Amino acid sequence: MTRELIPTDRPPEPAGRKVADFRPSLVLGEHSLCPGCGEPVALRILLETLQELDLVRKSIGVVGHGCYGSFVRIMDVEVLQCLHGRAPSCATGIKRMRPDVGVFTLQGDGDMVNEGLQEVIHTAARGENVTCILLNNGVFGDTGGQQTATTVLGQRTKTSIEGRDARQHGHPIAVADVVASLDGVAYVARGAVGTAGSVMRTKKMIRTAFEAQLAGEGFSLVEILTMCPTGWFVGAPQGPDYMAEAMERVYPLGDLRSRPLRRGDD
Ligand SMILES: Cc1ncc(C[n+]2csc(CCOP(=O)(O)OP(=O)(O)O)c2C)c(N)n1
Ligand code: SF4
Ligand SMILES: [Mg+2]
């Protein structure tokens, strides 16, 4: 088959923007995360939201321990890193001392749902006016891909190589659903970063969570499903499909608790 070529009378223009130009302006250097990892995408939409809400110099982040910790030294926002799982308690203290700033946590599933489950539940039940961001990839990525409390049944991990089995390992904990059931909670949602559409919807969720905090409505949580091809034993290009088939079935996307309607909202 012969291909018809489109005639041109001049050499191509150089690209208006190169891939490197798309780095968010609040990221000052290189990170060390794997190709195909979903965490940098989640970080990007979080940072863009801070910029869009004019919160960059009026916010403090509390970061847990996980692969996303690679961003602590290169994110141009105020952050502190606390003990594994303890971010919601540190955020509580900061917000009570500085109610004028936006306070958020950045935690993985191992950090929030294993090491620090009681922290997030109590912080939510107290209705602390902070925003927690959970990056859920179903593994302890940073330490080699071990099973966490959110690993779905049948999922292979370094410590459940035959797949998670409910009789041996118990059932996964859907922490966002638990938190959404508590009084004192203003907004809970679950998004993902596997497709362009889900990235945009998740960014809107992050914005809604911060808006709830700025309006003083109480606790907000956004869970973000993120690809971890390294920990899932799949190639980087297969990450989004694996996530949709294995995780989104168990953790459906969408709002789990909507902000209360206020006068003039509808
Ligand atoms: C008290 C304590 N236990 C264990 C560790 C080791 N550790 C550091 S990062 C990490 C994995 C975190 O996994 P997750 O929160 O899911 O983040 P991910 O790396 O998957 O993004 C663990 C277990 C630690 N630093 N402190
Ligand atoms: S191990 Fe997983 S979570 Fe960690 S950087 Fe690699 S892909 Fe991302
Ligand atoms: Mg994890």
Side-chain angles (χ1 to χ4, degrees):
M1 196 176 88
T2 51
R3 265 181 62 219
E4 221 175 282
L5 296 176
I6 300 167
T8 57
D9 55 4
R10 55 196 157 97
E13 302 278 340
R17 291 180 76 191
K18 301 225 163 75
V19 170
D21 297 340
F22 287 88
R23 190 167 75 188
S25 56
L26 289 174
V27 173
L28 302 178
E30 301 290 320
H31 66 75
S32 54
L33 275 60
C34 309
C37 180
E39 293 187 349
V41 185
L43 259 296
R44 165 191 281 269
I45 53 177
L46 169 62
L47 293 173
E48 286 175 352
T49 304
L50 293 179
Q51 282 177 317
E52 288 165 19
L53 291 174
D54 195 23
L55 280 175
V56 175
R57 298 286 166 248
K58 295 172 222 148
S59 61
I60 300 176
V62 189
V63 184
H65 289 267
C67 293
Y68 49 87
S70 161
F71 278 86
V72 166
R73 64 195 158 76
I74 54 169
M75 274 196 302
D76 193 15
V77 290
E78 296 292 337
V79 287
L80 75 95
Q81 198 164 26
C82 63
L83 288 173
H84 216 7
R86 309 295 169 238
S89 299
C90 291
T92 296
I94 294 170
K95 186 71 183 187
R96 288 188 180 200
M97 293 305 292
R98 292 290 308 273
D100 55 312
V101 298
V103 178
F104 65 93
T105 75
L106 185 61
Q107 303 174 257
D109 47 311
D111 189 85
M112 181 186 282
V113 196
N114 286 80
E115 309 275 349
L117 184 57
Q118 66 163 359
E119 309 278 327
V120 68
I121 302 252
H122 283 273
T123 304
R126 289 194 306 270
E128 301 290 347
N129 195 28
V130 298
T131 299
C132 289
I133 307 287
L134 163 62
L135 307 180
N136 182 8
N137 55 20
V139 282
F140 284 104
D142 204 12
T143 43
Q146 297 86 356
Q147 178 187 286
T148 67
T150 71
T151 301
V152 298
L153 294 181
Q155 184 183 332
R156 296 176 69 217
T157 71
K158 288 271 169 60
T159 48
S160 59
I161 206 71
E162 304 293 337
R164 183 174 187 163
D165 170 18
R167 280 169 306 172
Q168 201 185 346
H169 308 114
H171 290 270
I173 298 174
V175 70
D177 295 83
V178 175
V179 166
S181 72
L182 300 172
D183 291 334
V185 173
Y187 177 69
V188 181
R190 184 184 293 118
V193 291
T195 64
S198 63
V199 171
M200 293 318 292
R201 284 188 288 277
T202 305
K203 185 172 171 185
K204 202 159 165 244
M205 291 168 178
I206 297 173
R207 186 185 177 99
T208 305
F210 275 104
E211 285 172 345
Q213 183 183 157
L214 294 175
E217 291 169 9
F219 184 85
S220 51
L221 168 73
V222 180
E223 172 179 349
I224 307 175
L225 304 182
T226 54
M227 297 78 77
C228 176
T230 308
W232 296 345
F233 311 104
V234 302
Q238 283 76 47
D241 284 347
Y242 178 92
M243 188 165 77
E245 284 157 32
M247 292 183 79
E248 289 175 28
R249 239 175 354 98
V250 180
Y251 300 116
L253 310 184
D255 283 358
L256 303 174
R257 180 150 175 163
S258 304
R259 288 177 71 192
L261 271 184
R262 287 149 308 144
R263 207 188 297 265
D265 267 2
D266 43 358

